Amino acid sequence: MTINGAKKGIPFIISAPSGTGKTSTCKLLRAKLPELKFAVSHTTRAKRNGEEEGLDYYFISEETFKQKISNGDFLEWAQVHNNFYGTAIDAIEKTIAKGDDVLLELDIQGVESLRDMNFSGVFIFILPPSLEELQRRLETRGTESPEKIKGRIETGKNEICQYKLYDYVITNHNVEDTAQNIMSIIKTEKLRAAHYVPTAQDLQTLLHSNRII
Ligand code: 5GP
């Protein structure tokens, strides 16, 4: 991932069936990896208690969202539970061009869109230890009616069956271990030969003179 010797950042895409613990994991990652940038999506859904504009999401109207779709502003967008969500191309491109790694939290439709366009990134899927445990977590969360929980479990089952869309699968037994596993993936991916950029002048000269970079 180098252009004229400049190091580009890596997009890390994370998704998980609803109730798996992705939001808590990403919160912990934010605290542990302050240098990792988080892609702030646009959404038409209402702001929840404690959420902040520009930090959790950009909260916009459906009309503005549709305008952005027709302007071609989104790298991908999807409709999830009757609301729209989209990732702005601009923010992602600027972040990786600066050499910063960026984390995108997407639903599975977003992952499918990015895979269809051969988007260069690392795709990580977080899974619950079991369907029984997923149900227990959704019930404990207490934010959805029993009917909605049933729907989320069914959607979750379909999503789990598509685990091969991803590069990595992590079972979320606890948030701390899951965050550590994601940090290991990030560390490993950054060591790939494709991401190597020499910092020493003599190595740069060597590789340039052999037309390797
Ligand atoms: P929530 O409303 O609970 O914050 O998010 C609902 C779902 O939408 C989650 O799976 C979340 O990861 C996903 N999501 C958030 N932002 C985006 C986005 O920009 N694109 C897509 N495709 N999904 C998103």
Side-chain angles (χ1 to χ4, degrees):
M1 265 214 171
T2 63
I3 292 176
N4 300 330
K7 193 169 185 123
K8 281 184 89 183
I10 307 171
F12 291 91
I13 297 96
I14 297 204
S15 54
S18 174
T20 301
K22 179 180 50 144
T23 308
S24 322
T25 304
C26 289
K27 268 200 184 126
L28 189 58
L29 274 178
R30 273 189 196 221
K32 286 181 183 287
L33 292 178
E35 68 280 13
L36 181 66
K37 307 291 179 217
F38 281 74
V40 180
S41 297
H42 289 74
T43 184
T44 59
R45 84 147 160 74
K47 202 191 277 183
R48 293 184 189 133
N49 272 347
E51 285 184 332
E52 278 181 51
E53 167 73 20
L55 187 69
D56 297 287
Y57 283 106
Y58 295 109
F59 296 93
I60 59 175
S61 67
E62 202 166 309
E63 195 189 342
T64 310
F65 196 98
K66 288 188 173 155
Q67 189 58 53
K68 283 183 174 293
I69 296 175
S70 49
N71 293 346
D73 290 347
F74 292 128
L75 173 67
E76 63 72 43
W77 63 271
Q79 191 174 1
V80 187
H81 315 305
N82 295 326
N83 294 302
F84 291 98
Y85 296 82
T87 310
I89 297 178
D90 199 39
I92 303 293
E93 282 186 347
K94 280 190 184 144
T95 307
I96 58 175
K98 272 203 279 176
D100 289 329
D101 300 323
V102 61
L103 194 120
L104 288 78
E105 281 184 60
L106 302 185
D107 84 317
I108 202 155
Q109 301 171 73
V111 169
E112 283 170 331
S113 305
L114 296 186
R115 284 301 201 192
D116 284 348
M117 64 177 88
N118 280 326
F119 183 76
S120 174
V122 179
F123 293 76
I124 304 170
F125 199 24
I126 308 180
L127 289 187
S130 65
L131 292 173
E132 206 181 336
E133 174 63 13
L134 182 64
Q135 176 151 358
R136 198 193 61 76
R137 287 182 191 175
L138 282 167
E139 283 167 359
T140 312
R141 197 162 80 173
T143 48
E144 272 88 28
S145 64
E147 203 47 46
K148 279 209 168 147
I149 291 181
K150 227 170 147 192
R152 291 201 175 203
I153 299 275
E154 285 312 308
T155 308
K157 283 186 195 169
N158 291 329
E159 292 174 350
I160 293 166
C161 290
Q162 296 192 65
Y163 78 93
K164 288 195 175 163
L165 273 175
Y166 298 83
D167 300 308
Y168 294 93
V169 173
I170 302 174
T171 298
N172 183 25
H173 294 285
N174 69 73
V175 175
E176 178 65 39
D177 286 353
T178 301
Q180 287 296 342
N181 281 326
I182 295 172
M183 287 162 68
S184 303
I185 293 169
I186 294 175
K187 208 167 170 183
T188 306
E189 288 291 331
K190 288 169 78 64
L191 296 175
R192 279 189 183 274
H195 298 298
Y196 174 65
V197 176
T199 44
Q201 189 58 55
D202 52 3
L203 288 175
Q204 276 180 20
T205 309
L206 170 76
L207 296 175
H208 268 302
S209 60
N210 285 282
R211 296 176 180 275
I212 293 170
I213 54 173

